């Protein structure tokens, strides 16, 4: 039976970390929001120390992460047959960002795909990339993800003149960043045991949305005045349904792999914020008897980097030297935009 393998990982976080103290010096933030979200620091492409200049585009961050993954895989850029890029907010409406990643990597010819998704998008890309390998259509696939949210947040604040409650939540929780993995037919890597994605939002209201900037609500002054440029999220619904999504993904993956959750050495859960992560950990302990020492996360130090967060955590887990050959790693993704989830089982 043919298999695919993760042979390289990479990640990138722009500029210096911004602590809560530094954030509070720049903005008047409600300390309760900072405490409740639980993020201690985050990274932004927009530089607070340089007149809010954007230092990196999304595709530039993705390319840096990709180069690190390629170097880790010990292959050449010319060995890449396909590129999947995932982001919730591309740099431009057109062209898409993935072709700029191809440009910066100086790959003359390859297949390119861009997936418009947030926190579960990375696993959607793995699902598709895995099939590229299994069907023999590619030998090496680059999957890269980026989150570039700071320019949008500052645009909102500029229009509001002072941070609203929603702005303060976004400032506290979100960060920019990128991650990448190389999936290969080469067995000199970590085995992709199984992957699954699912969408279960039939009839449900979105937990998070950004309606402006698309074809329905283009960025006219009228639509800006109506607030369509704003990220909107239902925090209570996300807390309630987010854990439900994680539980569904866990049940699906243990069934697919015929494993008990306790068989895994490390589990990476959705990197939304430490508060929602605590809910997932409580649910794990209650329903599966799994202790928190198996949970690996980075969101407290990086902020919520959306679809990039899962593979930022995987890259940092690899670099931590905590994981050993033969260890089993489970990655769970959940997305509140319209309630999607996914899972990825890896044998190191």
């Amino acid at each position: 039976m043919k298999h695919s393998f993760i042979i390289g990982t990479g990640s990138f976080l722009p500029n210096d970390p911004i602590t809560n103290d530094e954030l509070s010096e720049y903005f008047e933030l409600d300390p309760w929001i900072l405490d409740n979200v639980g993020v201690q620091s985050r990274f932004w492409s927009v530089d607070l120390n340089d007149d809010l200049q954007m230092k990196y585009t999304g595709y530039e961050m993705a390319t840096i992460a990709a180069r690190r993954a390629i170097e880790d895989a010990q292959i050449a850029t010319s060995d890449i047959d396909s590129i999947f890029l995932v982001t919730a907010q591309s740099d431009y409406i057109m062209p898409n960002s993935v072709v700029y990643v191809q440009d910066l990597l100086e790959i003359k010819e390859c297949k390119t795909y861009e997936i418009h998704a947030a926190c579960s998008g990375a696993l959607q890309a793995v699902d598709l990339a895995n099939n590229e390998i299994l069907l023999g259509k590619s030998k090496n696939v680059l999957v890269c993800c980026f989150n570039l949210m700071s320019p949008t947040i500052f645009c909102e604040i500029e229009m509001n003149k002072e941070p609203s409650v929603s702005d303060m939540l976004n400032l506290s929780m979100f960060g920019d960043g990128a991650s990448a993995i190389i999936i290969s037919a080469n067995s000199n890597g970590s085995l992709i045991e199984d992957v699954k994605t699912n969408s279960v939002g039939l009839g449900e209201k979105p937990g998070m949305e950004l309606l402006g900037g698309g074809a329905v609500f283009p960025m006219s002054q009228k639509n800006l005045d109506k607030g369509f440029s704003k990220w909107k999220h239902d925090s209570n619904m996300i807390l309630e349904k987010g854990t439900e999504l994680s539980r569904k993904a866990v049940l699906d993956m243990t069934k697919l792999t015929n494993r008990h959750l306790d068989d895994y050495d490390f589990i990476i859960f959705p990197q939304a914020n430490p508060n929602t992560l605590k809910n997932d950990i409580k649910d794990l302990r209650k329903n599966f008897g799994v202790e928190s020492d198996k949970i690996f996360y980075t969101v407290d130090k990086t902020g919520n980097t959306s679809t990039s967060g899962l593979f930022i955590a995987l890259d940092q887990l690899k670099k931590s030297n905590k994981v050993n050959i033969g260890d089993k790693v489970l990655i769970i993704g959940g997305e509140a935009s319209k309630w999607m989830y996914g899972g990825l089982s890896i044998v190191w």
Side-chain angles (χ1 to χ4, degrees):
M1 184 178 176
K2 197 169 185 178
H3 294 287
S4 59
F5 302 83
I6 297 175
I7 63 171
T9 65
S11 60
F12 175 72
L13 297 164
N15 300 319
D16 295 325
I18 302 166
T19 66
N20 287 346
D21 287 343
E22 291 169 322
L23 199 62
S24 296
E25 287 177 10
Y26 205 90
F27 304 100
E28 291 186 12
L29 299 180
D30 186 336
W32 181 87
I33 290 179
L34 288 171
D35 291 340
N36 194 53
V37 168
V39 172
Q40 300 302 311
S41 61
R42 72 288 294 149
F43 295 78
W44 288 340
S45 177
V46 169
D47 192 342
L48 292 180
N49 298 314
D50 190 13
D51 197 29
L52 302 183
Q53 293 297 309
M54 187 171 66
K55 299 298 185 179
Y56 301 91
T57 63
Y59 65 80
E60 286 170 337
M61 293 193 296
T63 302
I64 295 171
R67 288 191 183 281
R68 291 174 179 177
I70 291 167
E71 181 181 357
D72 186 47
Q74 298 182 4
I75 62 173
T77 54
S78 58
D79 294 323
I80 300 296
D81 302 303
S82 303
I83 304 174
F84 286 83
L85 184 141
V86 188
T87 181
Q89 195 173 11
S90 198
D91 293 285
Y92 316 111
I93 297 293
M94 190 181 297
N96 56 19
S97 294
V98 66
V99 294
Y100 289 106
V101 173
Q102 179 190 359
D103 272 0
L104 292 179
L105 291 175
E106 298 182 346
I107 299 174
K108 187 175 180 180
E109 291 185 20
C110 70
K111 291 180 281 187
T112 59
Y113 308 90
E114 184 158 317
I115 298 174
H116 181 195
C119 300
S120 67
L123 300 182
Q124 294 172 16
V126 171
D127 202 359
L128 295 171
N130 188 48
N131 286 331
E132 279 281 311
I133 301 296
L134 298 183
L135 293 173
K137 293 185 174 183
S138 296
K139 292 182 180 178
N140 295 295
V141 180
L142 166 64
V143 174
C144 51
C145 316
F146 76 76
N147 189 52
L148 180 59
M149 194 168 174
S150 58
T152 301
I153 295 174
F154 279 94
C155 179
E156 292 176 17
I157 293 171
E158 183 180 346
M159 289 187 292
N160 292 340
K161 303 305 180 185
E162 61 182 39
S164 65
V165 172
S166 177
D167 293 332
M168 286 193 281
L169 182 59
N170 292 336
L171 286 165
S172 304
M173 185 165 63
F174 288 101
D176 298 336
S179 59
I181 62 173
I182 307 295
I183 299 177
S184 177
N186 184 345
S187 61
N188 188 25
S190 301
L191 171 69
I192 294 181
E193 190 175 41
D194 222 323
V195 57
K196 178 174 180 178
T197 59
N198 207 1
S199 177
V200 292
L202 177 64
E204 299 282 356
K205 293 181 179 179
M208 189 170 193
E209 58 185 10
L210 175 60
L211 300 180
V216 175
F217 299 112
M219 283 295 91
S220 64
Q221 187 59 54
K222 177 182 177 181
N223 287 333
L224 287 172
D225 292 341
K226 289 182 177 180
F228 288 130
S229 67
K230 291 182 173 296
W231 287 92
K232 297 178 181 178
H233 28 102
D234 187 328
S235 300
N236 291 331
M237 184 184 288
I238 291 170
L239 278 174
E240 177 187 344
K241 292 187 68 66
T243 297
E244 180 184 329
L245 289 181
S246 296
R247 191 184 312 123
K248 284 178 182 290
V250 166
L251 290 171
D252 282 358
M253 293 309 297
T254 52
K255 184 177 180 180
L256 278 174
T257 59
N258 198 28
R259 295 188 187 281
H260 187 274
L261 191 60
D262 201 41
D263 294 336
Y264 287 96
D265 300 282
F266 295 96
I267 303 170
I268 296 173
F269 265 102
Q271 304 290 296
N273 64 61
N275 192 22
T276 57
L277 195 58
K278 287 176 184 176
N279 278 8
D280 283 335
I281 292 172
K282 287 178 184 176
D283 192 67
L284 274 185
R285 190 178 295 124
K286 176 183 176 182
N287 292 293
F288 302 99
V290 175
E291 293 303 319
S292 59
D293 59 354
K294 294 197 173 198
I295 311 300
F296 186 86
Y297 59 93
T298 57
V299 64
D300 58 329
K301 300 295 191 297
T302 65
N304 181 336
T305 54
S306 186
T307 191
S308 308
L310 295 177
F311 294 153
I312 288 174
L314 182 66
D315 184 48
Q316 293 196 13
L317 174 62
K318 182 176 183 178
K319 289 179 170 59
S320 72
N321 294 319
K322 293 179 179 180
V323 62
N324 299 305
I325 293 175
D327 280 354
K328 291 169 279 296
V329 180
L330 180 64
I331 302 178
I332 297 295
E335 182 171 330
S337 63
K338 199 62 170 69
W339 312 111
M340 295 170 280
Y341 68 84
L344 171 63
S345 181
I346 304 167
V347 180
W348 213 259

